[in-house]
Amino acid sequence: MRQLPRWTGCAVGALAVAAAALVRFALAGALGDNAPLLPFTVPVLLAATIGGLRSGLVTTALGLAVAALAFVPRAEWGDTDRLAQFGLFAVVGANLEVLEDTYIT
């Protein structure tokens, strides 16, 4: 698949992060504080597919920031379990982009 310009991937990723945030907000009653990052994996893959590695990395950072600010209580930001979740999301997001960039395009 021919990749579109990087800014297009970033724009699509930002819109997908906003949509994922709405989905996560709608599921807040069912999920509570659990799985705050789960809906943000799809926007990362979408942005990486459309705009390449850098678009995926930008979307990973944006998804992580939105999830941390909107769905994780501020008191838990320094908790080692939450920091591990944030780190794992960043590592998995980066690996997904590298794999997508290497094998799919």
Side-chain angles (χ1 to χ4, degrees):
M1 177 179 172
R2 185 173 177 272
Q3 290 181 345
L4 297 173
R6 186 178 317 137
W7 66 268
T8 304
C10 291
V12 169
L15 290 173
V17 165
L22 291 174
V23 168
R24 179 62 179 89
F25 182 73
L27 296 174
L31 295 176
D33 290 341
N34 298 323
L37 298 166
L38 184 62
F40 297 99
T41 54
V42 173
V44 169
L45 285 172
L46 185 62
T49 302
I50 291 173
L53 179 65
R54 291 184 186 163
S55 298
L57 291 174
V58 167
T59 305
T60 299
L62 181 61
L64 186 58
V66 168
L69 293 171
F71 302 111
V72 176
R74 189 176 186 116
E76 294 181 13
W77 285 2
D79 186 29
T80 55
D81 290 338
R82 288 294 183 193
L83 290 175
Q85 287 177 354
F86 295 159
L88 183 62
F89 179 77
V91 167
V92 168
N95 283 326
L96 287 174
E97 287 129 32
V98 169
L99 288 173
E100 190 281 329
D101 196 45
T102 304
Y103 294 109
I104 301 210
T105 57

